[in-house]
Each structure stands twice: as structure tokens, then as C-alpha cells.
Amino acid sequence: MRSTTNRRTAAMCCAVLAMAAAAGCSSSKSTDSGDISGAQTAPPSSSPTSSLSPTPTQSAGAPEITLPADYTVAIQFRPGDDAIKKQAADGLSYALRAFNEAEATGDINRPAMVYAYTGTAGAYMNQAVQQLSSRNQTISGADRYYALTLDVKDPKTVVAAYCEDQSKAFPKDKASGKVLTSTPSINDYTDWTTTLTLTDKGVWQVSAAQAEKGSTRCQSAS
């Protein structure tokens, strides 16, 4: 995450935070740039066992998600063959993209957000979107999610742990169109733990989460 131009607040950049989400909170120096090298392509994984997974098929009835042309989300999840894990992973993948859409538009009430989030998770997401919007910023570049593990607590509750690489994700000033880049650092790596719950309508929603910024585990797993 990146100094005062980050997509999350300084208060959310502590070692452990409640659900907030997306680019920049390091002490790295930010610079203004009109474009981003490699922003349209997610960084390749250094792990031979990890490959870019296709975007999960959107569930019937799920709202469409539209992301900015200069922003990509790479989701490299391998949930395995277990049916519950696969469904929960698809729900999480959708929720991550839904939040990115909310950030891009500055609207926490986007249909996809209402569909994908519940409980305390939604409130924290709202704060993160408002912080970005208050600076008249949107998002640009490439975000990557990987190293997923899933723990099925019961048929309607799954705890997901995964990593996020924000080294190529940046805020962008809406007025000027300038991308606020910064030097990559360990603070670009976030270790997430989220709880997914299955609704009576069969939708896996994110209900709670916490994150650890500056994760050496996620940096080494990248």
C-alpha cells in the first residue's frame, strides 16, 4: 500500500486489520505517472505449481461486474475437487472483483457488493471505498490473489486464507487521470483470512475477514 495516496487508510495499514482491501499502504515514496508499465497484465507467478485460473463462471442471478479498462484482477485459486470448496472459492473470487468494482466507481451499494458481502465485512468495505472516493481517486493497474487454502467448518461455513499482491495496483486521480505509482515493497503483500457463509438462496457471501500487511509468507509464495 502506498503512503497518503493509498487505496486504504493509514489506520488500516497496521499489522492486523479488519476487512478493508486493495492497493497501497507502504512507506514507499509515491510518484505521479500517466501510465503503468505492465498494468494490463498480472505479474507472472514464480511458483511452478501456480497458474492463472480462468475467471470463475458467474452464478445464475449474480449481478454483472465491470472493471476499468486499465485495471485487471488475476485470481490464481486452486480449490481442488471438493464441491463445497469449489463453490466457496467461486464465491470469494466474485466478491473480490465486486469490491474492486465498488472502489472503481466509488459506490459501495453496487449490486455485486450487495450480492457478495454481509455482516461486518460489508461495513469495513464501505469505509475503504469512502476513503478512496474522498480523495477523488479510482483504481488502476493489476491486482493478484493466490495461495488459497480452504477449511470447511460445516456445509455452510468455510474459512479461506489467501494472499494478495498489490505491487502493480495503484490509485489514480480522477481529475487528472494520473496514476500514483510507488516503489514496490513488502507492504504490497497481504495475508487474508475470510469467512464465507452460504445463504438460504445458495450464495456464498463474505461475512468477516482480517488481514496482515507486509506478509513475508505471501511475498515468498508469490
Side-chain angles (χ1 to χ4, degrees):
M1 294 200 160
R2 293 136 185 113
S3 66
T4 58
T5 60
N6 58 15
R7 285 167 50 197
R8 307 208 188 118
T9 68
M12 291 180 178
C13 295
C14 300
V16 177
L17 24 145
M19 185 76 127
C25 191
S26 72
S27 58
S28 305
K29 181 179 180 181
S30 297
T31 59
D32 291 353
S33 173
D35 55 21
I36 300 175
S37 176
Q40 294 299 318
T41 304
S45 170
S46 61
S47 170
T49 61
S50 176
S51 61
L52 178 60
S53 301
T55 300
T57 302
Q58 192 161 291
S59 301
E64 293 291 334
I65 294 173
T66 302
L67 296 176
D70 62 345
Y71 184 77
T72 60
V73 179
I75 298 175
Q76 299 174 323
F77 290 167
R78 292 175 171 270
D81 296 328
D82 180 85
I84 293 178
K85 288 184 177 181
K86 289 175 67 175
Q87 292 167 9
D90 281 353
L92 175 59
S93 299
Y94 179 88
L96 295 173
R97 296 174 62 246
F99 176 71
N100 292 141
E101 181 189 45
E103 283 192 306
T105 61
D107 182 7
I108 195 65
N109 295 312
R110 296 289 298 177
M113 282 295 298
V114 176
Y115 182 90
Y117 290 90
T118 188
T120 59
Y124 288 122
M125 291 301 198
N126 188 17
Q127 183 179 4
V129 171
Q130 288 179 347
Q131 287 287 341
L132 187 67
S133 182
S134 69
R135 295 191 295 268
N136 198 34
Q137 293 174 351
T138 183
I139 53 179
S140 183
D143 211 344
R144 185 168 66 101
Y145 302 93
Y146 57 101
L148 174 71
T149 60
L150 297 164
D151 182 9
V152 179
K153 298 299 184 181
D154 60 57
K156 291 189 175 183
T157 308
V158 174
V159 174
Y162 58 94
C163 293
E164 181 180 8
D165 174 3
Q166 302 163 342
S167 61
K168 292 183 179 293
F170 307 99
K172 182 171 73 173
D173 183 76
K174 290 182 179 179
S176 66
K178 289 184 178 180
V179 177
L180 309 177
T181 62
S182 65
T183 304
S185 77
I186 191 173
N187 286 323
D188 293 319
Y189 297 93
T190 305
D191 197 339
W192 287 96
T193 302
T194 63
T195 299
L196 294 125
T197 55
L198 182 64
T199 70
D200 293 339
K201 295 182 179 180
V203 178
W204 284 97
Q205 293 183 318
V206 177
S207 57
Q210 65 179 21
E212 179 184 350
K213 293 297 300 178
S215 170
T216 55
R217 182 187 80 82
C218 289
Q219 185 181 47
S220 63
S222 66

